[in-house]
Amino acid sequence: MRQSNNTQRFQTHHGSGIYGSFTDTIWRPFLKSPARSSVVFSFICVLLLVGTLAWMHLLDATVIPGNSGEKPLETTRASDLIQKKPHKQIEIPLNCTAYNLTRTCPLNYPTSVELDPDRSFTVTCPEYFRWIHEDLRPWAHTGITRDMVKRAKRTANFKLVILNGKAYVETYVKGFQTRDVFTLWGILQLLRRYPGKVPDLELMFDCVDWPVILKSKHSGPNVTTPPPLFRYCSNDATLDIVFPDWSFWGWAEINIKPWEHLLKDLREGNKKKKWVEREPYAYWKGNPAVAETRQDLLKCNVSDKQDWNARLYAQNWIKESQEGYKQSDLASQCIHRYKIYIEGSAWSVSEKYILACDSVSLIVTPHYYDFYTRGMIPVHHYWPVREDDKCKSIKFAVDWGNSHKRKAQDIGKAASEFIQEDLKMDYVYDYMFHLLNAYAKLLRFKPSISRDAIELCGESMVCEAEGLAKKFMMDSLVKGPASTNPCTMPPPYDPPSFHAALRRKENSIKQVESWEKNYWENQNKQI
């Protein structure tokens, strides 16, 4: 707008403006010589074209001076303007000194923030956000009543209430390790990031791995509507609502950093060894004691009699903690071309660390999903491995990748780009934001604070924390309100596109199984 005003002001002071002076100059000498009109006309056209291009370049490059002494304004695209325009981030520091004196949460945190219009643009959320619509579909027609929420208390660790941008928690059962602590810490950071934008709500949260709200008990005539229960994973037989897990803000018990810091380490770790220079085997390191399927995986380890192209290691976390976690640095484990993901007692937080490695992720048939994995496509983001014949399936995957190096690298790169871009903390917060907003819209009652609930704030959590827990909280602290809006939610799937997405995954897995079958048939013929 300022550029337009400057241009108008320039033209007002100089007759018809720069175009008027330019055309008068080129036309006047030739008006006296009509005999040369055709040559002249051609020449004039060339001059006009050159002049127009020069003027357009002048507009793009800079400078429309006014008579008011103001500085020239550079013409730029909106995105360039946003990048160049300095933005002062509002920071709200924690105040443990005041909290320790009053034992009350501060009142100075803003309840709303007005965005700079130049920074109020939004981008579309990643595809996996569409699953929010699917996860909440069981309550789309009935809404969610207070009775439904109360029925979810049976296995919940805590009830969370958000009122007027503040968080209150009523604890029923202490979560394992600090799962509940860092989950609540993450929710507080969401409130700091988007003050006044998270609506009033009341929900139940279960920090245990296994989903418990069975579809079979809530389908068919004359059944009750399922209770809404939030947790870290679910599966096709259950209706638990998936939510980002605690480790995005750090896992103090095993020295895993907050996700934002760890992502940077993993990015740097990927640069240490190119894919073709890495060990041409499949790598896994974890705790086999938590599940039979992991114990079965260890049978695929290299031995004097057989090499299944796998290098597998049992992780002893007690020993690791005693030795300062020297052998468990995740950013130093991107040295194999292939990395195996296998579930534990249920889904495992290790999946995002494995996918971020630029290696081809060999995913043993999963039974559970978390909030982002439903956005991944077999053979594009990962290589599917059969659960019922792991060793042969792993050997084929590695042999295939070593014979198709370019395609294998593309799979590894697609996964790490998905993790680095579509699973960065900005989107983790935005997923929480959209999920809680959509959930709150379904409530058919006014949330309230029970007598046993306590107010949560950054100070009430971090000022009393110690050691790694305190460090990780400070490392993952949202300094102040976001300077941009949350991403824009994609629409829900319509039935045809939903089933098409499921078929695409199923067909990709069947294709790999067909290749694998042919591979082993040919191997047997050569014996």
Side-chain angles (χ1 to χ4, degrees):
M1 182 62 70
R2 288 179 57 197
Q3 177 180 305
S4 176
N5 291 338
N6 284 341
T7 305
Q8 186 177 11
R9 191 157 52 238
F10 184 91
Q11 291 173 343
T12 301
H13 286 284
H14 297 273
S16 58
I18 198 165
Y19 274 116
S21 300
F22 184 70
T23 52
D24 284 350
T25 303
I26 63 169
W27 272 102
R28 194 174 293 113
F30 295 105
L31 291 175
K32 301 177 182 178
S33 308
R36 294 176 288 174
S37 60
S38 90
V39 175
V40 168
F41 182 77
S42 299
F43 181 68
I44 289 170
C45 288
V46 172
L47 285 177
L48 279 171
L49 178 60
V50 172
T52 301
L53 291 173
W55 173 242
M56 290 174 64
H57 175 73
L58 187 64
L59 283 174
D60 287 339
T62 46
V63 171
I64 305 176
N67 291 338
S68 59
E70 62 187 3
K71 295 180 180 178
L73 176 69
E74 181 172 350
T75 303
T76 57
R77 293 185 298 273
S79 58
D80 296 331
L81 185 62
I82 290 165
Q83 292 174 2
K84 293 179 181 180
K85 184 175 181 177
H87 173 73
K88 187 176 181 180
Q89 176 72 47
I90 300 173
E91 292 195 8
I92 311 295
L94 299 180
N95 190 340
C96 285
T97 303
Y99 177 79
N100 290 334
L101 289 173
T102 64
R103 313 302 291 178
T104 58
C105 292
L107 302 174
N108 66 331
Y109 200 80
T111 57
S112 64
V113 173
E114 186 174 342
L115 291 180
D116 183 332
D118 287 331
R119 305 182 67 86
S120 61
F121 65 96
T122 59
V123 297
T124 301
C125 305
E127 181 77 3
Y128 63 83
F129 277 60
R130 300 178 79 175
W131 285 94
I132 289 175
H133 304 290
E134 302 305 317
D135 287 349
L136 297 178
R137 194 174 295 281
W139 303 274
H141 299 296
T142 63
I144 296 172
T145 65
R146 185 179 293 280
D147 176 68
M148 293 176 194
V149 174
K150 284 183 178 179
R151 285 193 283 114
K153 179 181 177 180
R154 185 175 59 87
T155 64
N157 289 94
F158 62 82
K159 178 173 72 172
L160 171 74
V161 175
I162 295 176
L163 276 180
N164 301 319
K166 295 183 178 182
Y168 304 84
V169 64
E170 181 179 349
T171 301
Y172 304 126
V173 180
K174 179 72 183 72
F176 177 65
Q177 295 181 337
T178 50
R179 289 185 176 197
D180 52 348
V181 173
F182 276 89
T183 298
L184 290 166
W185 175 256
I187 291 168
L188 285 179
Q189 303 321 298
L190 175 69
L191 297 179
R192 286 175 66 89
R193 181 179 175 91
Y194 295 125
K197 292 186 177 181
V198 180
D200 294 351
L201 58 85
E202 192 172 319
L203 63 82
M204 296 289 182
F205 205 107
D206 188 339
C207 299
V208 178
D209 285 344
W210 310 283
V212 296
I213 310 299
L214 298 176
K215 281 183 182 179
S216 58
K217 288 188 176 183
H218 302 283
S219 58
N222 302 319
V223 295
T224 58
T225 304
L229 181 63
F230 287 71
R231 68 172 353 99
Y232 309 121
C233 72
S234 191
N235 61 24
D236 291 340
T238 56
L239 298 170
D240 301 58
I241 303 167
V242 291
F243 193 84
D245 72 82
W246 75 94
S247 67
F248 282 98
W249 296 273
W251 191 350
E253 287 79 10
I254 59 174
N255 195 37
I256 291 182
K257 298 178 183 179
W259 184 233
E260 191 165 15
H261 294 264
L262 186 54
L263 261 186
K264 295 177 183 176
D265 292 348
L266 289 166
R267 192 183 303 121
E268 292 304 312
N270 279 340
K271 296 176 183 177
K272 293 179 180 178
K273 255 191 177 180
K274 295 180 180 178
W275 190 89
V276 292
E277 297 169 352
R278 298 182 184 186
E279 297 291 325
Y281 304 108
Y283 171 90
W284 180 80
K285 189 173 187 178
N287 182 3
V290 297
E292 289 185 12
T293 187
R294 288 188 174 186
Q295 295 167 26
D296 186 50
L297 174 68
L298 291 182
K299 298 175 184 177
C300 305
N301 220 340
V302 62
S303 67
D304 294 336
K305 298 180 180 179
Q306 183 69 52
D307 187 352
W308 296 108
N309 290 336
R311 303 295 183 262
L312 314 172
Y313 304 89
Q315 177 75 285
N316 185 331
W317 283 113
I318 296 175
K319 183 180 178 182
E320 274 298 292
S321 64
Q322 293 170 346
E323 296 178 356
Y325 303 100
K326 294 177 182 178
Q327 303 302 317
S328 58
D329 177 38
L330 294 170
S332 300
Q333 295 181 17
C334 299
I335 58 173
H336 293 77
R337 292 181 183 176
Y338 312 88
K339 294 193 72 175
I340 298 170
Y341 168 76
I342 184 169
E343 293 175 337
S345 56
W347 136 99
S348 170
V349 299
S350 65
E351 187 163 18
K352 57 183 175 290
Y353 311 129
I354 291 169
L355 289 163
C357 237
D358 271 5
S359 305
V360 180
S361 297
L362 309 183
I363 295 185
V364 180
T365 307
H367 297 278
Y368 301 88
Y369 55 79
D370 64 8
F371 75 101
Y372 70 88
T373 49
R374 289 172 290 181
M376 299 190 332
I377 302 169
V379 192
H380 177 67
H381 292 113
Y382 67 92
W383 189 270
V385 167
R386 294 171 61 98
E387 183 183 31
D388 57 354
D389 203 352
K390 297 181 186 70
C391 300
K392 284 187 173 182
S393 197
I394 289 169
K395 180 171 175 55
F396 165 68
V398 173
D399 283 350
W400 181 93
N402 289 337
S403 300
H404 302 81
K405 293 184 176 64
R406 173 47 57 193
K407 292 180 180 178
Q409 288 179 73
D410 288 343
I411 295 172
K413 197 67 179 174
S416 60
E417 286 178 354
F418 173 86
I419 295 298
Q420 290 283 350
E421 296 301 323
D422 288 358
L423 199 61
K424 57 187 177 183
M425 278 308 296
D426 289 345
Y427 286 137
V428 175
Y429 283 122
D430 285 1
Y431 190 95
M432 296 162 63
F433 174 84
H434 285 300
L435 174 59
L436 294 181
N437 266 271
Y439 171 82
K441 289 176 182 177
L442 294 170
L443 297 184
R444 299 295 180 260
F445 65 95
K446 184 175 176 57
S448 60
I449 307 166
S450 65
R451 288 182 302 174
D452 296 325
I454 61 170
E455 183 180 356
L456 280 184
C457 58
E459 283 82 357
S460 69
M461 297 192 73
V462 78
C463 297
E464 298 181 0
E466 296 178 347
L468 275 181
K470 184 166 190 170
K471 173 177 168 47
F472 288 167
M473 284 181 184
M474 292 305 297
D475 287 347
S476 59
L477 176 70
V478 169
K479 300 291 192 298
S483 58
T484 58
N485 284 316
C487 61
T488 302
M489 268 287 284
Y493 289 104
D494 57 39
S497 62
F498 180 74
H499 292 296
L502 295 181
R503 277 198 307 273
R504 179 184 177 187
K505 287 188 177 183
E506 185 181 348
N507 291 340
S508 296
I509 292 171
K510 286 181 177 179
Q511 178 66 75
V512 171
E513 291 176 349
S514 175
W515 292 340
E516 186 177 324
K517 180 182 177 182
N518 292 336
Y519 170 87
W520 285 108
E521 286 176 353
N522 290 331
Q523 292 290 108
N524 293 333
K525 289 177 182 178
Q526 296 173 15
I527 296 175

